[in-house]
Amino acid sequence: HVEGNGPTLPVAMTVSHRGPGPMRGQATVYGDAAAISAAMGRAAPMITQPVAPVDEDLYREVDQLRAELGRRDEVIAHLEGELRRVSSMMPRDGEVVALREQCEAKDARIQDLTREVQKLRRAAATRGTAGPQSPRSPRGASPPVSRAARAGIADGPVARYHAANQADPIDVRLEEFYNTTSSAIHFQRINKGLYRFGSTEVEVEIINQKLMARTENGWNRGKFGPIDKFMSAHEPSERSRLGIPDES
């Protein structure tokens, strides 16, 4: 027990009883030292040994370590959240490839438009010296074919079409067909199978190995028809809208 000027404080003691009787042996007893002695009746010699005091520094260190572990858990949670956020911002491989293809297609389109502008400027410069123009072809006339093509010289369209997606069979077939014509109106790919021919939106499909077109403006009664007939029907009006002379 702890003695001082004040009252006796309760302590924990290891008590050894060496006398005869049922209490012979060793045990740890908690309470006031005087009370413990009275309870034993001082019937036999007792040896009391105080239990080792609690190491408060050790408990403080344990608390500090637990707090430090908690802070590290917060750091880990923050870093994991940041990793998920950054990962979600990274583009997928397929998206990168698609964007590259679109950039390449737009570069080719810019080059084609540049050549088209130059060609139209040359045509405008020499228009005053050219002979009288033949009457404009009516709607539904034969496919646009240039004088050079009729002479057996394949000069191609004003601006060649380049497939935006080589994995798309419709786009590849359209490139092959269009570049054999002398059209001055360009096809613009909107989505797979969907294009804009001048100001006309047209759906293109491969049906029975043939390239077919369908519009919602009433042409061919809204049914699929050959792509060359579609161009024959819409080329004159598109040329007129843009002020491009008809070569037929």
Side-chain angles (χ1 to χ4, degrees), residues 5-167:
N5 295 329
T8 301
L9 300 177
V11 296
M13 293 184 179
T14 300
V15 180
S16 298
H17 188 276
R18 297 179 180 174
M23 296 186 67
R24 181 180 179 84
Q26 190 178 63
T28 301
V29 181
Y30 298 88
D32 184 89
I36 295 172
S37 298
M40 297 297 295
R42 300 186 183 275
M46 291 190 300
I47 300 174
T48 58
Q49 299 175 350
V51 175
V54 175
D55 191 341
E56 295 182 0
D57 291 338
L58 181 60
Y59 274 106
R60 278 194 296 271
E61 184 179 0
V62 169
D63 291 339
Q64 291 174 356
L65 289 173
R66 286 176 177 170
E68 192 66 26
L69 285 174
R71 285 191 291 270
R72 279 168 168 72
D73 287 339
E74 292 176 359
V75 172
I76 291 172
H78 171 74
L79 291 176
E80 288 177 344
E82 187 69 12
L83 179 62
R84 288 191 296 271
R85 186 184 68 83
V86 174
S87 298
S88 65
M89 296 170 60
M90 294 294 292
R92 296 180 294 275
D93 292 341
E95 183 179 0
V96 172
V97 173
L99 289 173
R100 286 175 179 169
E101 290 179 349
Q102 292 178 21
C103 288
E104 293 173 359
K106 290 186 183 298
D107 288 341
R109 175 61 173 154
I110 289 172
Q111 295 175 2
D112 288 342
L113 289 174
T114 301
R115 288 192 293 267
E116 182 177 351
V117 169
Q118 294 172 350
K119 185 174 182 178
L120 290 176
R121 284 176 177 171
R122 289 194 298 268
T126 59
R127 188 173 181 179
T129 60
Q133 297 289 326
S134 60
R136 197 176 295 276
S137 297
R139 193 176 179 86
S142 59
V145 180
S146 66
R147 287 186 292 272
R150 288 197 298 273
I153 304 173
D155 58 347
V158 172
R160 298 178 66 82
Y161 179 75
H162 298 278
N165 186 355
Q166 293 294 329

Side-chain angles (χ1 to χ4, degrees), residues 137-144 219 228-237:
S137 297
R139 193 176 179 86
S142 59
W219 175 76
D228 56 341
K229 290 185 178 180
F230 161 79
M231 291 179 62
S232 298
H234 292 81
E235 177 96 11
S237 61

